[in-house]
Each structure stands twice: as structure tokens, then as C-alpha cells.
Amino acid sequence: MNTRSLLRLPEYDYSRTGMYFVTICLRERMPLFGLVEGDTMQLSRFGDIVAAEIQNLENRFVGVRIDLSMVMPDHAHLVVALGEQAQRLGIVIGSLKAASAREINRVRGTTGAHLWQRGYYDHVIRDDADLDRVHSYIATNPLRWTLRHSTP
């Protein structure tokens, strides 16, 4: 029997004011969102949709701010700041995944197709040093992608 491991901290309140590092991945990790050239991500039409939906979260939800984001070929990273009166993190991320999948499926003519993997990875950002590490990780993600996917 397949059992899924818990991705969330069991006792943590994900509606708490704070900053969260989130990674969401495409189903089967298909590189739909664009190409990495050197250390730069070149978004496809579908990557542009995801990037726009990430930024639109600030308009869709009270108390939500996107501190930083990066759409990669098969996943997206974002730092979400939840303020007072913000929805729980899971609702915000679920909304992002649903809205982007709906629009991408409309453009592709694949209505109802599952785009994203179930769930997401999150990390509660604890202090400024932690935030700096996350910013650095996101900023250098395209270069790491190139190094990992280049042929020897």
C-alpha cells in the first residue's frame, strides 16, 4: 500500500503571519515552462502564465505578498509573505495551482488535464539569515539547472 509522507509540520499553524518558501512541481516533471540558457530562465507561453498567476496572488488574497519567485522548466519557487487576515498557505498555493492549470489547459486544449503534482514543498522562513539563504537558492537555481542538465 502506498502511503504519502506528511509535507506539513504537524503542529504548525499555516495561517500564521510569516514568510514561507514554497516549491511546486509539474506532474511527471515535464519541462513545460521554458528553457534555461546559461544562468537565465527563458519562459515559454506556459511559464508566463504561471509567473502572472504567482503575481496575481497579491490581488486575489488580502494580506498576501510575493517576496520573490522563479519559474523553472518543470517547477516554480516562491517566497510568500502572509500578513494579518491572510488565508492559510494551502489555500493560497491551491488557488495558484488551480488558476494556472485552468489557463494552461485552456491554451493547450487539454481541459481537465492534471498539470501539477499533488501537494507542495514548504519551508517556514525563521529569520533574516534563513531568508537570505532562500533568496540565494532561488536566484542561483537556473545556474544549478544548467550544471545538472549539461552533458559532460
Side-chain angles (χ1 to χ4, degrees), residues 6 17 49 52 55 76 91-92 103 109 121 133 135 142 148:
L6 289 175
T17 299
I49 290 169
Q55 293 310 309
I91 291 172
V92 173
E103 181 61 12
Y121 167 83
R133 281 188 296 277
H135 278 193
R148 191 171 57 246

Coordinates of all heavy atoms in Angstrom, one line a residue, residues 6 17 49 52 55 76 91-92 103 109 121 133 135 142 148:
L6 N 3.8 13.1 5.3 CA 3.3 14.4 5.6 C 4.3 15.5 5.1 O 5.5 15.4 5.5 CB 3.0 14.6 7.0 CG 1.8 13.8 7.6 CD1 1.7 14.0 9.1 CD2 0.5 14.2 6.9
T17 N 1.1 34.7 10.5 CA 1.9 35.7 9.8 C 3.3 35.3 9.7 O 3.9 34.8 10.7 CB 1.8 37.0 10.6 OG1 0.4 37.4 10.7 CG2 2.6 38.1 10.0
I49 N 2.3 32.2 -18.0 CA 1.0 32.1 -17.4 C 1.3 31.9 -15.9 O 0.6 32.5 -15.0 CB 0.2 31.0 -18.0 CG1 -0.3 31.4 -19.4 CG2 -1.0 30.6 -17.1 CD1 -0.9 30.3 -20.2
A52 N 2.6 35.0 -14.1 CA 1.5 36.0 -14.0 C 0.5 35.6 -12.8 O 0.1 36.4 -12.0 CB 0.7 36.2 -15.3
Q55 N 2.1 36.4 -9.5 CA 2.0 37.8 -9.1 C 0.5 38.2 -8.8 O 0.3 39.0 -8.0 CB 2.6 38.7 -10.2 CG 4.1 38.5 -10.4 CD 4.8 38.7 -9.1 OE1 4.7 39.6 -8.3 NE2 5.7 37.7 -8.8
A76 N 8.2 25.6 -9.9 CA 8.3 27.0 -9.5 C 8.6 27.2 -8.1 O 8.1 26.3 -7.2 CB 6.9 27.7 -9.8
I91 N -4.4 27.2 1.0 CA -5.4 27.8 0.2 C -4.8 28.7 -0.9 O -5.2 28.7 -2.1 CB -6.5 28.6 1.0 CG1 -7.3 27.6 1.9 CG2 -7.4 29.5 0.1 CD1 -8.2 28.2 2.9
V92 N -3.8 29.5 -0.5 CA -3.1 30.3 -1.5 C -2.5 29.5 -2.6 O -2.6 29.8 -3.8 CB -2.1 31.3 -0.8 CG1 -1.3 32.0 -1.8 CG2 -2.8 32.2 0.2
E103 N -5.8 27.9 -16.9 CA -5.4 28.7 -18.1 C -4.5 28.0 -19.0 O -4.7 28.0 -20.3 CB -4.8 30.0 -17.6 CG -4.4 30.9 -18.7 CD -5.5 31.4 -19.6 OE1 -6.7 31.2 -19.3 OE2 -5.2 32.0 -20.7
G109 N -5.6 23.3 -25.0 CA -6.7 22.4 -25.4 C -6.8 21.1 -24.7 O -7.2 20.1 -25.3
Y121 N 6.1 21.5 -1.6 CA 7.1 21.6 -0.5 C 7.0 23.0 0.1 O 6.9 24.0 -0.6 CB 8.5 21.3 -1.1 CG 9.6 21.7 -0.2 CD1 10.0 20.8 0.8 CD2 10.2 22.9 -0.2 CE1 11.0 21.2 1.7 CE2 11.2 23.3 0.7 CZ 11.6 22.4 1.6 OH 12.5 22.8 2.5
R133 N 19.4 32.9 2.6 CA 19.7 31.6 2.0 C 18.7 31.2 1.0 O 19.1 30.7 -0.1 CB 19.8 30.5 3.1 CG 21.1 30.5 3.9 CD 21.2 29.3 4.8 NE 20.2 29.2 5.8 CZ 20.3 29.9 7.0 NH1 21.4 30.6 7.3 NH2 19.3 29.8 7.9
H135 N 16.7 33.2 -0.7 CA 16.8 34.1 -1.9 C 18.0 33.7 -2.8 O 17.9 33.7 -4.0 CB 17.1 35.6 -1.4 CG 15.8 36.3 -1.1 ND1 15.8 37.7 -0.9 CD2 14.5 35.9 -0.9 CE1 14.6 38.0 -0.6 NE2 13.8 37.0 -0.6
P142 N 18.6 28.7 -11.8 CA 18.9 28.4 -13.2 C 20.3 27.9 -13.5 O 20.5 27.0 -14.3 CB 18.7 29.8 -13.9 CG 17.7 30.5 -13.0 CD 18.1 30.0 -11.6
R148 N 23.4 20.8 -13.8 CA 22.9 19.4 -13.6 C 22.4 18.8 -14.9 O 22.5 17.6 -15.1 CB 21.7 19.5 -12.6 CG 21.2 18.2 -12.1 CD 20.1 18.3 -11.0 NE 19.0 19.1 -11.4 CZ 18.7 20.3 -10.9 NH1 19.4 20.8 -9.9 NH2 17.6 21.0 -11.3

